[in-house]
Amino acid sequence: MTTTSTTPRAPRAATAGRRDVRGALAAAAAGVVSGALTLGVADLAAGVVAPGASPVLAVGRAAIDLVPGPLKDFAVSTFGAYDKVVLLAGIGAVLVAASAVAGLLARRRPAAGLALVVLLGAAAVASAVTRPDVDPGLAGILRAAVPTVLGVVAGGAALVLLARRVRSARAVTGGASSGLPAELPAELPADLPVAEPPVADLPRRPVLGSLLAVGGTAVLAGAGGRVLAARRAAAVRPSDLVLPRPADPAAALPAAVEVDVPGVTPFVTANRDFYRVDTALTVPRVDAGTWRLRLHGLVEREVTLSLDDVLAEPLVERTMTLTCVSNEVGGRLAGTSRWLGLPLKSLLEKAGPLPDADMVLSTSADGFTASTPLAALLDGRDALLAVGMNGSPLPVDHGFPARMIVPGLYGYVSATKWVVDLEVTRFDRATAYWTRRGWAAQAPVRTFSRIDVPASFAQVPAGRTAVAGVAWAQHRGVDAVEVRVDGGPWQPATLGAVPSLDTWRQWVFAWDAEPGQHTLEVRATDATGDPQPQTRRPPRPDGATGWHSVVVRVG
Ligand SMILES: Nc1nc2c(c(=O)[nH]1)N[C@H]1C(S)=C(S)[C@@H](COP(=O)(O)O)O[C@H]1N2
Ligand SMILES: [Mo]
């Protein structure tokens, strides 16, 4: 008690420092569990009033629509089908960090922590109320906003209360150890183990308990929201639907569509293997029972059809290849399916397009739009309002209950999934989703060819080897595929059979492989006589060009 010089300063400072770190951790944890409560309560409320209003999904959807096109292209090409998982993980990381910051702020100034929570909540509300699928009018806006507002009220209250707990716990600890615990002699031997002053443990328990209680409530609320949202999910689902037989079935596929080379892309793509590209963070679950398709705009009369109306019409079935404009040279964003549907021509004729119309703007249940030239829908090609895919109802991922398929056009200008609205209009009056983001308003499919086997960098035995792949130029048709080795002369490949001009085509080339490293290149020529251009161009704005090549080692 006489001098301070004998007091072991360093260990005491370490104790104080540790206490401070522990306090900060508790404050950050308070922020994180309060943030979780905000989301949990919002999801619970969204489960009751409007599943789409869940704040994380609303922010995610807004992010998808707001991120600049090139970044989105990067995300699709880097993460592929996982781009949305990566986006959600990113939003989650930002939310955890922001909540922790709110907790740290609230430790010293509750109002500051609360302000951050309210600010984040306001951003989520803004995202939720501006989604294109929000019903117009005050009721729709309220339904979109209320879940997040309730979440913020709950989470904000939890933050303030927990911050008070954390502060009072510190005060208790701090009071006792501003010196050292009373029972201990003030003059300590320098080597006393001071790791854990026992009294500091006491106030941790109520804080920890409160944190766990709030976190547990958050999890329960979130789970409750999930259950409620699932309950509200579509009444009539794909498995409930029985498709009628086509009035006009697809021609049986000749056996020769397959060139029979192991590793070559199958001619028909199984539904579960069909590529998926869309802007939907969670796929729209449309109730086929209440689904309606509205045809309007520059028409003689508006028409609205239910799914039963569509299924009562004479349906046609066609095998057709769908491709994505984002497909790179050598890419795999393409698939071939047997589509069952109502010809869009007969649908449009019910409404009677007016002579000055030149485009149909199709809109999906989640607000995506595509602009399709009216001519492509009326010129007699097999443009369909599709309801079936390879003999089954459309899978939810691929547009249940109905989507468009227009042979010869990239998906983003023609293949609207979960389609609910067709507006007959003009290209100079309306602009579709991707066109607003820098892609072409009109986009016929470019001629493409790909080497499937041998794979790039494969080791190939010397001797006769099959080089094989697929080529496409939908609605024009592929007339020739050629292969060259190490920049030598182009040599013709043998083409598989096709049922129409609207599918891809397998090809095979018998190569006498000699030992060493070789580069194989492929190019296709469409039926108009245009060879596939060599110039490498990126997908934006209207489809990639360039020859696909692979390098292999022989021997
Ligand atoms: N509703 C909706 N439909 C959409 C899209 C979308 O983002 N939303 N993407 C289009 C694009 S870019 C392509 S390539 C095709 C892909 O269809 P798939 O996912 O069935 O392969 O769907 C088209 N239809
Ligand atoms: Mo696409």
Side-chain angles (χ1 to χ4, degrees):
M1 212 52 69
T2 47
T3 62
T4 50
S5 59
T6 51
T7 312
R9 278 183 181 282
R12 208 200 303 168
T15 309
R18 219 174 289 135
R19 203 164 50 235
D20 208 52
V21 168
R22 198 186 289 155
L25 277 180
V32 172
V33 296
S34 304
L37 188 69
T38 306
L39 298 181
V41 167
D43 270 7
L44 183 62
V48 178
V49 297
S54 154
V56 176
L57 294 182
V59 169
R61 292 187 178 116
I64 287 176
D65 289 351
L66 290 177
V67 291
L71 182 60
K72 203 173 328 194
D73 302 346
F74 165 80
V76 170
S77 63
T78 311
F79 305 118
Y82 294 106
D83 57 339
K84 278 128 197 164
V85 179
V86 172
L87 173 72
L88 280 179
I91 292 175
V94 169
L95 279 179
V96 169
S99 309
V101 168
L104 289 169
L105 285 174
R107 184 159 76 129
R108 309 221 188 278
R109 294 184 48 206
L114 203 55
L116 181 54
V117 172
V118 170
L119 203 72
L120 291 172
V125 168
S127 308
V129 299
T130 51
R131 297 306 307 148
D133 49 355
V134 167
D135 295 335
L138 187 63
I141 290 175
L142 280 180
R143 223 174 305 136
V146 158
T148 305
V149 171
L150 290 178
V152 166
V153 169
L159 180 68
V160 171
L161 292 175
L162 286 174
R164 191 178 294 166
R165 280 258 148 127
V166 170
R167 243 190 343 261
S168 63
R170 264 170 48 82
V172 175
T173 323
S177 57
S178 53
L180 283 165
E183 310 84 66
L184 295 180
E187 292 176 28
L188 293 168
D191 58 349
L192 182 83
V194 285
E196 291 282 284
V199 78
D201 272 346
L202 290 176
R204 266 205 322 196
R205 224 160 280 138
V207 173
L208 192 61
S210 313
L211 290 176
L212 287 176
V214 172
T217 309
V219 170
L220 284 179
R226 278 287 146 80
V227 171
L228 288 174
R231 283 251 180 93
R232 291 170 54 107
V236 179
R237 286 169 294 208
S239 54
D240 303 323
L241 204 67
V242 179
L243 294 176
R245 288 185 184 285
D248 180 356
L253 292 178
V257 295
E258 302 280 355
V259 296
D260 269 335
V261 175
V264 78
T265 304
F267 187 79
V268 173
T269 314
N271 289 0
R272 66 173 178 285
D273 297 335
F274 208 95
Y275 80 99
R276 176 187 158 205
V277 170
D278 54 58
T279 62
L281 186 54
T282 54
V283 279
R285 293 184 186 272
V286 178
D287 176 0
T290 55
W291 176 87
R292 296 288 180 277
L293 178 65
R294 177 172 170 239
L295 255 123
H296 62 110
L298 300 174
V299 292
E300 279 160 18
R301 58 205 98 73
E302 258 193 57
V303 174
T304 300
L305 295 167
S306 69
L307 192 62
D308 285 340
D309 295 335
V310 173
L311 298 182
E313 297 280 324
L315 303 186
V316 314
E317 193 175 40
R318 296 286 182 271
T319 303
M320 299 188 280
T321 299
L322 176 64
T323 44
C324 180
V325 70
S326 297
N327 192 51
E328 308 263 0
V329 170
R332 297 188 165 265
L333 298 178
T336 298
S337 196
R338 191 158 43 87
W339 305 97
L340 173 74
L342 175 62
L344 283 160
K345 185 171 198 264
S346 57
L347 188 60
L348 284 164
E349 280 165 356
K350 288 183 195 300
L354 297 176
D356 55 334
D358 65 4
M359 185 259 269
V360 170
L361 187 77
S362 48
T363 305
S364 71
D366 65 344
F368 168 88
T369 54
S371 55
T372 310
L374 183 60
L377 303 177
L378 298 178
D379 67 6
R381 74 181 80 188
D382 291 315
L384 298 183
L385 175 75
V387 293
M389 188 174 182
N390 287 327
S392 314
L394 283 179
V396 169
D397 279 358
H398 296 290
F400 180 81
R403 74 173 306 168
M404 293 173 44
I405 293 289
V406 183
L409 304 182
Y410 282 123
Y412 84 102
V413 289
S414 68
T416 304
K417 305 192 272 190
W418 316 290
V419 63
V420 292
D421 189 287
L422 298 179
E423 183 188 1
V424 180
T425 178
R426 299 177 48 85
F427 277 104
D428 60 15
R429 280 197 205 162
T431 309
Y433 187 94
W434 284 112
T435 307
R436 269 183 257 133
R437 290 158 175 83
W439 295 77
Q442 306 208 34
V445 170
R446 292 180 180 279
T447 305
F448 174 100
S449 54
R450 182 178 74 213
I451 301 170
D452 291 337
V453 278
S456 219
F457 304 114
Q459 183 85 30
V460 177
R464 196 140 256 234
T465 283
V467 179
V470 290
W472 63 70
Q474 292 97 302
H475 209 58
R476 300 188 299 282
V478 171
D479 252 16
V481 171
E482 296 162 291
V483 174
R484 70 175 185 182
V485 183
D486 300 326
W490 286 104
Q491 305 172 68
T494 305
L495 297 176
V498 279
S500 75
L501 304 179
D502 296 336
T503 69
W504 59 19
R505 192 158 201 178
Q506 291 185 357
W507 57 266
V508 59
F509 171 74
W511 176 38
D512 291 314
E514 286 172 13
Q517 178 171 299
H518 300 288
T519 302
L520 301 168
E521 288 173 290
V522 66
R523 73 170 184 193
T525 300
D526 73 12
T528 71
D530 276 346
Q532 199 182 330
Q534 176 177 20
T535 319
R536 280 258 179 166
R537 290 203 304 162
R540 177 185 289 257
D542 57 5
T545 63
W547 297 334
H548 185 216
S549 62
V550 298
V551 175
V552 294
R553 280 208 72 81
V554 176

